[in-house]
Amino acid sequence: MEPAPSAFRAGPDFCPECGTVLPLPGVQDRVTCVCCDFAIAVRDFEGRLVQSSVEFHRPGATAVPAGGDGQEVKGPVIDRKCPQCGHEGMVYHTRQMRSADEGQTVFYTCAECKFQEKEDS
C-alpha cells in the first residue's frame, strides 16, 4: 500500500505531513516528527550540511547606542532629569534581565550628555 500524498510541499527540514520542523538527526536510525509521528530514515540526511550560529553580546552592553561619535540616541523619551547634567528628558528601553517572575530592568540614557543608568523594578 502506497502512502497518501503529502498535505504540504515541505523542504527536507520540515515534516511533509503537518509542516512541523523536524528534529536534527541523532543516534537513532530514524527521524520522527514530534507532532504527527511521520518518520524518515537518517540516511536520507547524509551529505547535508547543518549550520547554526549564536551571537553573543558583551556583558553590560545595551541595545541603545551610547551616542559616541556624534550618534543620536534613539528611542522613547521620558520626563526624567539626568543626574549628571540636569537635562530634562531621557531615552529609555527595558530588558528582562532576571527570571520571568521578576520585573524588567529599565535602562535610561541622557539625550544630551549620553550618561547611562539603570533601574531594577
Side-chain angles (χ1 to χ4, degrees):
M1 179 182 212
E2 195 172 305
S6 175
F8 291 91
R9 285 189 176 194
D13 296 329
F14 297 90
C15 174
E17 298 302 319
C18 68
T20 301
V21 176
L22 290 173
L24 293 173
V27 294
Q28 303 86 1
D29 61 342
R30 300 186 71 67
V31 173
T32 305
C33 178
V34 295
C35 290
C36 73
D37 295 325
F38 168 81
I40 187 170
V42 168
R43 70 179 179 283
D44 291 345
F45 289 91
E46 283 182 9
R48 298 214 33 234
L49 178 63
V50 177
Q51 292 181 322
S52 64
S53 65
V54 178
E55 182 178 326
F56 292 97
H57 298 285
R58 292 186 328 269
T62 63
V64 176
D69 302 332
Q71 292 178 348
E72 183 179 335
V73 179
K74 296 179 182 174
V77 178
I78 188 169
D79 290 334
R80 183 181 178 106
K81 188 181 239 180
C82 174
Q84 184 161 324
C85 73
H87 180 262
E88 188 67 41
M90 295 185 80
V91 176
Y92 74 95
H93 72 278
T94 61
R95 184 173 289 165
Q96 188 70 37
M97 302 296 287
R98 297 170 288 164
S99 62
D101 63 340
E102 297 182 35
Q104 294 184 358
T105 301
V106 183
F107 295 89
Y108 298 97
T109 305
C110 177
E112 190 71 25
C113 71
K114 313 307 184 238
F115 174 78
Q116 294 181 334
E117 65 179 341
K118 69 178 186 173
E119 181 179 283
D120 296 320
S121 51

